[in-house]
mmCIF file of all heavy atoms in Angstrom:
data_model
loop_
_atom_site.group_PDB
_atom_site.id
_atom_site.type_symbol
_atom_site.label_atom_id
_atom_site.label_comp_id
_atom_site.label_asym_id
_atom_site.label_seq_id
_atom_site.Cartn_x
_atom_site.Cartn_y
_atom_site.Cartn_z
ATOM 1 N N ASP A 53 53.126 28.014 102.156
ATOM 2 C CA ASP A 53 51.969 28.780 102.641
ATOM 3 C C ASP A 53 52.202 29.342 104.046
ATOM 4 O O ASP A 53 51.259 29.837 104.679
ATOM 5 C CB ASP A 53 50.676 27.951 102.578
ATOM 6 C CG ASP A 53 50.714 26.704 103.439
ATOM 7 O OD1 ASP A 53 51.761 26.021 103.459
ATOM 8 O OD2 ASP A 53 49.700 26.408 104.107
ATOM 9 N N HIS A 54 53.473 29.279 104.515
ATOM 10 C CA HIS A 54 53.846 29.871 105.818
ATOM 11 C C HIS A 54 55.071 30.773 105.719
ATOM 12 O O HIS A 54 55.348 31.536 106.637
ATOM 13 C CB HIS A 54 54.064 28.763 106.860
ATOM 14 C CG HIS A 54 52.810 27.987 107.094
ATOM 15 N ND1 HIS A 54 52.004 28.186 108.187
ATOM 16 C CD2 HIS A 54 52.180 27.071 106.308
ATOM 17 C CE1 HIS A 54 50.930 27.401 108.073
ATOM 18 N NE2 HIS A 54 51.016 26.723 106.947
ATOM 19 N N VAL A 55 55.810 30.659 104.611
ATOM 20 C CA VAL A 55 57.077 31.413 104.531
ATOM 21 C C VAL A 55 57.184 32.290 103.270
ATOM 22 O O VAL A 55 58.198 32.956 103.088
ATOM 23 C CB VAL A 55 58.310 30.466 104.581
ATOM 24 C CG1 VAL A 55 58.235 29.536 105.798
ATOM 25 C CG2 VAL A 55 58.465 29.650 103.295
ATOM 26 N N ALA A 56 56.147 32.291 102.439
ATOM 27 C CA ALA A 56 56.271 32.897 101.103
ATOM 28 C C ALA A 56 56.841 34.316 101.119
ATOM 29 O O ALA A 56 57.672 34.657 100.287
ATOM 30 C CB ALA A 56 54.920 32.886 100.401
ATOM 31 N N ASP A 57 56.384 35.162 102.049
ATOM 32 C CA ASP A 57 56.820 36.560 102.064
ATOM 33 C C ASP A 57 57.869 36.849 103.138
ATOM 34 O O ASP A 57 58.201 38.011 103.384
ATOM 35 C CB ASP A 57 55.606 37.480 102.287
ATOM 36 C CG ASP A 57 54.635 37.432 101.108
ATOM 37 O OD1 ASP A 57 55.091 37.492 99.954
ATOM 38 O OD2 ASP A 57 53.417 37.329 101.347
ATOM 39 N N ALA A 58 58.374 35.820 103.788
ATOM 40 C CA ALA A 58 59.273 36.037 104.938
ATOM 41 C C ALA A 58 60.557 36.762 104.537
ATOM 42 O O ALA A 58 60.961 37.730 105.195
ATOM 43 C CB ALA A 58 59.600 34.706 105.616
ATOM 44 N N ALA A 59 61.207 36.322 103.468
ATOM 45 C CA ALA A 59 62.480 36.938 103.082
ATOM 46 C C ALA A 59 62.281 38.388 102.667
ATOM 47 O O ALA A 59 63.049 39.273 103.072
ATOM 48 C CB ALA A 59 63.129 36.136 101.950
ATOM 49 N N THR A 60 61.240 38.650 101.887
ATOM 50 C CA THR A 60 60.974 40.017 101.412
ATOM 51 C C THR A 60 60.740 40.963 102.588
ATOM 52 O O THR A 60 61.309 42.061 102.646
ATOM 53 C CB THR A 60 59.730 40.025 100.492
ATOM 54 O OG1 THR A 60 59.917 39.035 99.487
ATOM 55 C CG2 THR A 60 59.521 41.379 99.846
ATOM 56 N N ILE A 61 59.898 40.527 103.516
ATOM 57 C CA ILE A 61 59.569 41.400 104.656
ATOM 58 C C ILE A 61 60.777 41.524 105.593
ATOM 59 O O ILE A 61 61.064 42.613 106.102
ATOM 60 C CB ILE A 61 58.314 40.887 105.399
ATOM 61 C CG1 ILE A 61 57.087 40.963 104.476
ATOM 62 C CG2 ILE A 61 58.050 41.713 106.675
ATOM 63 C CD1 ILE A 61 55.818 40.325 105.041
ATOM 64 N N ALA A 62 61.511 40.433 105.789
ATOM 65 C CA ALA A 62 62.690 40.493 106.667
ATOM 66 C C ALA A 62 63.737 41.453 106.108
ATOM 67 O O ALA A 62 64.341 42.237 106.846
ATOM 68 C CB ALA A 62 63.285 39.093 106.842
ATOM 69 N N LYS A 63 63.944 41.399 104.795
ATOM 70 C CA LYS A 63 64.964 42.262 104.187
ATOM 71 C C LYS A 63 64.579 43.734 104.310
ATOM 72 O O LYS A 63 65.417 44.581 104.600
ATOM 73 C CB LYS A 63 65.177 41.881 102.721
ATOM 74 C CG LYS A 63 66.070 40.639 102.592
ATOM 75 C CD LYS A 63 66.356 40.262 101.151
ATOM 76 C CE LYS A 63 67.212 38.999 101.106
ATOM 77 N NZ LYS A 63 67.131 38.286 99.846
ATOM 78 N N ARG A 64 63.300 44.059 104.091
ATOM 79 C CA ARG A 64 62.867 45.461 104.143
ATOM 80 C C ARG A 64 62.849 46.014 105.564
ATOM 81 O O ARG A 64 63.241 47.149 105.815
ATOM 82 C CB ARG A 64 61.490 45.617 103.500
ATOM 83 C CG ARG A 64 60.970 47.068 103.511
ATOM 84 C CD ARG A 64 59.604 47.197 102.854
ATOM 85 N NE ARG A 64 58.644 46.255 103.366
ATOM 86 C CZ ARG A 64 57.981 46.414 104.515
ATOM 87 N NH1 ARG A 64 58.164 47.479 105.259
ATOM 88 N NH2 ARG A 64 57.115 45.492 104.910
ATOM 89 N N THR A 65 62.366 45.179 106.516
ATOM 90 C CA THR A 65 62.174 45.682 107.884
ATOM 91 C C THR A 65 63.384 45.443 108.778
ATOM 92 O O THR A 65 63.483 46.042 109.848
ATOM 93 C CB THR A 65 60.970 44.975 108.544
ATOM 94 O OG1 THR A 65 61.241 43.565 108.591
ATOM 95 C CG2 THR A 65 59.680 45.216 107.768
ATOM 96 N N GLY A 66 64.263 44.536 108.380
ATOM 97 C CA GLY A 66 65.366 44.152 109.260
ATOM 98 C C GLY A 66 64.932 43.237 110.389
ATOM 99 O O GLY A 66 65.631 43.063 111.379
ATOM 100 N N ALA A 67 63.739 42.634 110.229
ATOM 101 C CA ALA A 67 63.215 41.737 111.263
ATOM 102 C C ALA A 67 64.087 40.497 111.398
ATOM 103 O O ALA A 67 64.707 40.045 110.437
ATOM 104 C CB ALA A 67 61.780 41.329 110.914
ATOM 105 N N THR A 68 64.107 39.950 112.605
ATOM 106 C CA THR A 68 64.821 38.704 112.888
ATOM 107 C C THR A 68 63.893 37.527 112.653
ATOM 108 O O THR A 68 62.775 37.509 113.175
ATOM 109 C CB THR A 68 65.279 38.685 114.367
ATOM 110 O OG1 THR A 68 66.148 39.800 114.576
ATOM 111 C CG2 THR A 68 66.007 37.381 114.705
ATOM 112 N N ILE A 69 64.343 36.557 111.873
ATOM 113 C CA ILE A 69 63.548 35.348 111.643
ATOM 114 C C ILE A 69 63.813 34.347 112.766
ATOM 115 O O ILE A 69 64.967 34.028 113.065
ATOM 116 C CB ILE A 69 63.868 34.732 110.267
ATOM 117 C CG1 ILE A 69 63.267 35.615 109.163
ATOM 118 C CG2 ILE A 69 63.327 33.295 110.165
ATOM 119 C CD1 ILE A 69 63.441 35.086 107.751
ATOM 120 N N ILE A 70 62.738 33.896 113.401
ATOM 121 C CA ILE A 70 62.815 32.857 114.433
ATOM 122 C C ILE A 70 62.158 31.611 113.848
ATOM 123 O O ILE A 70 60.993 31.650 113.448
ATOM 124 C CB ILE A 70 62.073 33.287 115.719
ATOM 125 C CG1 ILE A 70 62.668 34.576 116.287
ATOM 126 C CG2 ILE A 70 62.098 32.157 116.757
ATOM 127 C CD1 ILE A 70 61.880 35.174 117.451
ATOM 128 N N ALA A 71 62.918 30.518 113.766
ATOM 129 C CA ALA A 71 62.392 29.305 113.124
ATOM 130 C C ALA A 71 63.233 28.115 113.541
ATOM 131 O O ALA A 71 64.298 28.271 114.173
ATOM 132 C CB ALA A 71 62.425 29.457 111.604
ATOM 133 N N ALA A 72 62.765 26.933 113.162
ATOM 134 C CA ALA A 72 63.556 25.717 113.365
ATOM 135 C C ALA A 72 64.931 25.915 112.718
ATOM 136 O O ALA A 72 65.069 26.637 111.722
ATOM 137 C CB ALA A 72 62.848 24.524 112.747
ATOM 138 N N TYR A 73 65.931 25.252 113.263
ATOM 139 C CA TYR A 73 67.313 25.400 112.780
ATOM 140 C C TYR A 73 67.400 25.302 111.256
ATOM 141 O O TYR A 73 67.987 26.172 110.595
ATOM 142 C CB TYR A 73 68.192 24.319 113.430
ATOM 143 C CG TYR A 73 69.603 24.335 112.913
ATOM 144 C CD1 TYR A 73 70.533 25.236 113.419
ATOM 145 C CD2 TYR A 73 69.997 23.465 111.896
ATOM 146 C CE1 TYR A 73 71.822 25.273 112.921
ATOM 147 C CE2 TYR A 73 71.285 23.495 111.391
ATOM 148 C CZ TYR A 73 72.195 24.401 111.907
ATOM 149 O OH TYR A 73 73.462 24.432 111.404
ATOM 150 N N GLU A 74 66.800 24.264 110.694
ATOM 151 C CA GLU A 74 66.923 24.025 109.246
ATOM 152 C C GLU A 74 66.272 25.144 108.430
ATOM 153 O O GLU A 74 66.773 25.520 107.376
ATOM 154 C CB GLU A 74 66.289 22.675 108.886
ATOM 155 C CG GLU A 74 67.046 21.466 109.428
ATOM 156 C CD GLU A 74 66.731 21.135 110.902
ATOM 157 O OE1 GLU A 74 65.996 21.886 111.562
ATOM 158 O OE2 GLU A 74 67.245 20.103 111.377
ATOM 159 N N VAL A 75 65.139 25.643 108.934
ATOM 160 C CA VAL A 75 64.433 26.725 108.234
ATOM 161 C C VAL A 75 65.242 28.019 108.354
ATOM 162 O O VAL A 75 65.433 28.748 107.368
ATOM 163 C CB VAL A 75 63.004 26.894 108.803
ATOM 164 C CG1 VAL A 75 62.321 28.125 108.197
ATOM 165 C CG2 VAL A 75 62.169 25.631 108.540
ATOM 166 N N ALA A 76 65.755 28.289 109.554
ATOM 167 C CA ALA A 76 66.545 29.510 109.767
ATOM 168 C C ALA A 76 67.790 29.520 108.886
ATOM 169 O O ALA A 76 68.127 30.539 108.270
ATOM 170 C CB ALA A 76 66.930 29.622 111.239
ATOM 171 N N MET A 77 68.465 28.359 108.784
ATOM 172 C CA MET A 77 69.690 28.292 107.978
ATOM 173 C C MET A 77 69.391 28.424 106.484
ATOM 174 O O MET A 77 70.208 28.955 105.732
ATOM 175 C CB MET A 77 70.434 26.979 108.262
ATOM 176 C CG MET A 77 71.019 26.936 109.651
ATOM 177 S SD MET A 77 71.480 28.544 110.286
ATOM 178 C CE MET A 77 73.062 28.289 110.856
ATOM 179 N N TRP A 78 68.225 27.966 106.058
ATOM 180 C CA TRP A 78 67.805 28.111 104.655
ATOM 181 C C TRP A 78 67.663 29.605 104.325
ATOM 182 O O TRP A 78 68.113 30.066 103.284
ATOM 183 C CB TRP A 78 66.481 27.366 104.440
ATOM 184 C CG TRP A 78 66.017 27.264 103.013
ATOM 185 C CD1 TRP A 78 66.434 26.358 102.086
ATOM 186 C CD2 TRP A 78 65.039 28.087 102.368
ATOM 187 N NE1 TRP A 78 65.752 26.556 100.899
ATOM 188 C CE2 TRP A 78 64.894 27.605 101.041
ATOM 189 C CE3 TRP A 78 64.239 29.170 102.776
ATOM 190 C CZ2 TRP A 78 63.995 28.171 100.128
ATOM 191 C CZ3 TRP A 78 63.354 29.730 101.863
ATOM 192 C CH2 TRP A 78 63.248 29.235 100.558
ATOM 193 N N PHE A 79 67.083 30.371 105.269
ATOM 194 C CA PHE A 79 66.950 31.812 105.048
ATOM 195 C C PHE A 79 68.314 32.505 105.146
ATOM 196 O O PHE A 79 68.581 33.453 104.407
ATOM 197 C CB PHE A 79 65.931 32.426 106.019
ATOM 198 C CG PHE A 79 64.516 32.217 105.559
ATOM 199 C CD1 PHE A 79 63.749 31.179 106.052
ATOM 200 C CD2 PHE A 79 63.969 33.034 104.581
ATOM 201 C CE1 PHE A 79 62.451 30.955 105.596
ATOM 202 C CE2 PHE A 79 62.671 32.830 104.113
ATOM 203 C CZ PHE A 79 61.923 31.785 104.629
ATOM 204 N N ALA A 80 69.163 32.025 106.040
ATOM 205 C CA ALA A 80 70.513 32.594 106.163
ATOM 206 C C ALA A 80 71.248 32.453 104.828
ATOM 207 O O ALA A 80 71.919 33.380 104.369
ATOM 208 C CB ALA A 80 71.276 31.897 107.280
ATOM 209 N N ALA A 81 71.090 31.285 104.186
ATOM 210 C CA ALA A 81 71.756 31.039 102.899
ATOM 211 C C ALA A 81 71.195 31.938 101.801
ATOM 212 O O ALA A 81 71.828 32.141 100.770
ATOM 213 C CB ALA A 81 71.607 29.563 102.510
ATOM 214 N N LYS A 82 69.995 32.468 102.030
ATOM 215 C CA LYS A 82 69.379 33.380 101.064
ATOM 216 C C LYS A 82 69.727 34.837 101.366
ATOM 217 O O LYS A 82 69.148 35.756 100.775
ATOM 218 C CB LYS A 82 67.858 33.209 101.079
ATOM 219 C CG LYS A 82 67.386 31.888 100.489
ATOM 220 C CD LYS A 82 65.955 32.007 99.984
ATOM 221 C CE LYS A 82 65.524 30.900 99.051
ATOM 222 N NZ LYS A 82 66.521 30.353 98.152
ATOM 223 N N GLY A 83 70.629 35.047 102.316
ATOM 224 C CA GLY A 83 71.096 36.413 102.583
ATOM 225 C C GLY A 83 70.419 37.107 103.755
ATOM 226 O O GLY A 83 70.645 38.296 103.987
#
Side-chain angles (χ1 to χ4, degrees):
D53 61 318
H54 298 259
V55 307
D57 294 315
T60 308
I61 296 173
K63 281 182 182 158
R64 180 179 51 80
T65 60
T68 300
I69 288 183
I70 301 172
Y73 176 82
E74 292 82 355
V75 173
M77 291 330 229
W78 188 82
F79 279 97
K82 290 204 164 325

